Amino acid sequence: MSFDNSESTQAQPILLNIGAWILTAGIFSIPLLGNAAHNLLLGLPIIILFFTKNITTYPALLKNNHTALLATLLFIWLAISLLWSSAETSYSGKILSKYREFLLIPLFMIYFTIEKYRKNALIALYAALLLSLFFSYLIHYDLTNYWDNPNSIKNRIFHGISMSIFAYINLQAAATSKRYRALFVALFIITFHNLFFIENGRLGYLLICVLSALFCWQQWRVKGLIAMIVLASLSAIALLLFADLSQLRIIGRLDVISNASEINLSVLQAADIRLEFYILSLYCFMDSWLLGHGLGSFPEVYALQHEAIQTYWKTTVNPHNEFLQISIQTGIIGLLLFIAFLISFLTQRDQPSLQKQCKTALFFTVCLSCMCNSSFMDHGDGALFMILIALVTGSTWKTANNYTDTTK
């Protein structure tokens, strides 16, 4: 069962209201402002929460919500792994601070047990993502040059993740709103165009196609399966005919694979820098698979592997894969905790259909993003996921307009 605050429908103390409004501003800042704004606007509500009686619900939350408990246990294990890390204490501590989202997820869940705070958070996030989409076009067409990135406010990876989420939100909104359905569909199409033809990147391509296909399946099942095939085919055709694929390194190095007499690890390493990151990272994991090398040790152990075998690309301090990043530093125990944390998104069943569908979409989004990047170690991606996880996997949504459960 999800954790529910019995006072969620009552008037809240002024201090908690202040914290909630600051939190709403912090959520609005995630797609639009820098890390300093996130740290301030998301940190203050946590401090305020400790001065309210709502913090006393924290133990019950951990007891009743699997996601909250596993996020906390994962952070604790990350902290424990500092004990056997060979990295400098300052660097290890810095890496641990990057994973603070796991510790903060349950605390933000406490805010979102109160329905009006949850709704305000969703409105703020939607408004910020809409502005991010709008500014992306302004930047691309040189109508503003405030940001350094040529096509979006933030980097390509974050933009691909956030806009894919925005696209899915608009599809769900179109399914529930007859009055504004055309508007939400139009926003989905614009977002699709933005990811394929403005700020293009392989993660953005993958996420928006997967989430769109998932939505079709959630709504129409067998009919949705046909729609998925059609969507995938049209997307592939559009990608090949019109999208700029020059940034996909593997496209430019297909000759490495085609000219090879046999496909082996060395050929894969030469074909794409990320494949080399993943292959060498697997070697690092196998060197100390039970407990890992300790938090903060990745740059050192990767550099040793990079020197020991033939390589084709520069060394890295980040494997661009959260599963590998956690497992190399904290071993199989940390990896299993992380996987269990992700699976927990899907374990709570007694919830409205809309919430269950959004949890499934969040599961795929986080898994795919973490397969291609160290998303929780990246503050922007991690902050966005932290808020989404707290919103979607916390208490059961209380809404009068949940549509018919199509998952039964």
Side-chain angles (χ1 to χ4, degrees), residues 147-254:
W147 294 275
D148 294 332
N149 197 37
N151 295 304
S152 61
I153 295 175
K154 296 200 172 183
N155 63 68
R156 177 182 296 171
I157 294 172
F158 180 88
H159 188 79
I161 294 170
S162 61
M163 287 299 98
S164 298
I165 293 168
F166 184 66
Y168 181 81
I169 292 173
N170 279 296
L171 287 175
Q172 286 287 4
T176 58
S177 173
K178 294 182 179 179
R179 184 175 182 180
Y180 299 106
R181 181 167 296 166
L183 174 62
F184 291 126
V185 171
L187 285 172
F188 168 78
I189 294 172
I190 293 171
T191 307
F192 193 93
H193 172 269
N194 182 267
L195 287 182
F196 273 83
F197 305 109
I198 303 297
E199 181 64 291
N200 43 20
R202 50 189 166 188
L203 181 58
Y205 297 156
L206 177 63
L207 280 177
I208 194 170
C209 289
V210 168
L211 292 181
S212 300
L214 175 64
F215 174 81
C216 292
W217 171 257
Q218 289 172 335
Q219 295 299 311
W220 303 298
R221 287 297 190 262
V222 176
K223 293 180 180 179
L225 181 62
I226 299 174
M228 283 169 22
I229 295 173
V230 172
L231 176 65
S233 301
L234 292 176
S235 299
I237 293 171
L239 176 63
L240 294 172
L241 293 180
F242 303 107
D244 176 16
L245 302 179
S246 60
Q247 82 287 347
L248 299 181
R249 288 184 284 276
I250 190 137
I251 297 297
R253 297 186 62 84
L254 286 178

Side-chain angles (χ1 to χ4, degrees), residues 326-360:
I326 289 176
S327 61
I328 289 167
Q329 299 179 103
T330 64
I332 192 68
I333 298 175
L335 177 61
L336 291 177
L337 280 172
F338 183 54
I339 293 173
F341 164 72
L342 297 175
I343 294 175
S344 71
F345 297 179
L346 309 176
T347 58
Q348 297 165 331
R349 297 295 181 183
D350 298 329
Q351 294 174 328
S353 175
L354 178 60
Q355 185 174 4
K356 288 189 287 187
Q357 292 185 7
C358 289
K359 286 168 66 174
T360 303

Side-chain angles (χ1 to χ4, degrees), residues 255-277:
D255 59 310
V256 175
I257 297 177
S258 60
N259 294 333
S261 57
E262 62 177 357
I263 304 299
N264 52 37
L265 290 181
S266 181
V267 171
L268 294 176
Q269 284 179 238
D272 184 74
I273 189 171
R274 296 249 179 145
L275 292 179
E276 180 168 285
F277 289 167

Side-chain angles (χ1 to χ4, degrees), residues 32-145:
L32 301 173
L33 302 179
N35 292 347
H38 304 168
N39 292 333
L40 176 65
L41 295 174
L42 296 177
L44 281 176
I46 297 300
I47 297 173
I48 291 172
L49 182 65
F50 279 93
F51 290 93
T52 70
K53 64 180 181 179
N54 297 70
I55 193 61
T56 61
T57 64
Y58 183 71
L61 172 62
L62 295 183
K63 180 180 178 180
N64 293 284
N65 189 291
H66 298 154
T67 302
L69 177 61
L70 286 164
T72 304
L73 291 175
L74 177 57
F75 182 84
I76 292 173
W77 182 249
L78 288 165
I80 291 174
S81 72
L82 291 170
L83 296 175
W84 56 85
S85 175
S86 59
E88 294 184 4
T89 303
S90 59
Y91 182 75
S92 296
K94 178 182 177 181
I95 298 300
L96 181 63
S97 70
K98 290 178 177 291
Y99 285 116
R100 62 188 176 272
E101 284 85 1
F102 293 122
L103 189 63
L104 299 181
I105 285 170
L107 297 173
F108 286 121
M109 283 183 180
I110 295 176
Y111 274 104
F112 298 144
T113 58
I114 300 167
E115 188 68 10
K116 66 177 181 179
Y117 297 164
R118 182 184 69 81
K119 290 182 177 179
N120 288 341
L122 288 170
I123 292 171
L125 180 61
Y126 185 88
L129 293 175
L130 179 61
L131 283 175
S132 183
L133 176 66
F134 176 68
F135 281 123
S136 176
Y137 281 98
L138 291 183
I139 296 168
H140 177 74
Y141 291 111
D142 295 324
L143 297 176
T144 181
N145 58 0

